[in-house]
């Protein structure tokens, strides 16, 4: 990512068409399920907050999309996320597989309720 990137639009536009489509899909899921979330760039990736508290983050990479729902969000869904490569508070959705849309929506909704 270019350090000059200030918006999620610019961030997403910096990727190939295939990755852009996946990033846009996640972005739309967030907008649909957390319309009150404030969008920004944080830690070099797309970030969303509700009530000034982190909701979720996502980032594009060559081989995967990273999705961050904080450690609590990942702990809540650890069984369903166990099939993916993970870090503390993050999960990697490989480009070689379809995005787990239903799971992402459940995580977003859980995080919205948690931040309420």
């Amino acid at each position: 990512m270019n350090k000059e990137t200030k918006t999620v639009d610019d961030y997403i536009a910096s990727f190939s068409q295939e990755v852009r489509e996946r990033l846009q899909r996640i972005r739309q899921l967030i907008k649909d399920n957390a319309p009150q979330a404030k969008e920004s760039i944080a830690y070099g990736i797309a970030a969303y907050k509700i009530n000034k508290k982190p909701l979720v983050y996502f980032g594009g990479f060559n081989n995967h999309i990273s999705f961050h729902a904080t450690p609590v969000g990942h702990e809540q869904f650890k069984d369903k996320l166990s099939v993916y490569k993970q870090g503390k508070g993050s999960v990697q959705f490989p480009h070689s597989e379809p995005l787990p849309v239903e799971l992402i929506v459940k995580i977003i909704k859980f995080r919205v309720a948690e931040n309420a």
Side-chain angles (χ1 to χ4, degrees), residues 23-47:
L23 294 172
Q24 278 290 25
R25 181 71 171 124
I26 292 175
R27 183 186 199 189
Q28 193 60 52
L29 293 173
I30 296 166
K31 287 182 174 190
D32 290 347
N33 293 282
Q36 70 276 40
K38 302 293 182 209
E39 182 179 80
S40 66
I41 297 291
Y43 308 107
I45 59 176

Side-chain angles (χ1 to χ4, degrees), residues 10-87:
D10 291 342
Y11 177 74
I12 291 173
S14 71
F15 291 93
S16 69
Q17 180 65 30
E18 176 189 0
V19 176
R20 274 196 313 266
E21 289 173 7
R22 294 169 68 81
L23 294 172
Q24 278 290 25
R25 181 71 171 124
I26 292 175
R27 183 186 199 189
Q28 193 60 52
L29 293 173
I30 296 166
K31 287 182 174 190
D32 290 347
N33 293 282
Q36 70 276 40
K38 302 293 182 209
E39 182 179 80
S40 66
I41 297 291
Y43 308 107
I45 59 176
Y48 295 82
K49 288 184 176 184
I50 292 180
N51 299 325
K52 299 183 181 179
K53 296 185 270 186
L55 180 70
V56 294
Y57 302 79
F58 65 83
F61 296 88
N62 289 336
N63 298 313
H64 68 276
I65 300 291
S66 69
F67 187 74
H68 309 255
T70 76
V72 176
H74 289 275
E75 180 63 26
Q76 180 70 22
F77 296 91
K78 67 182 175 186
D79 292 340
K80 298 222 184 271
L81 293 171
S82 66
V83 297
Y84 300 101
K85 185 175 180 181
Q86 296 182 56

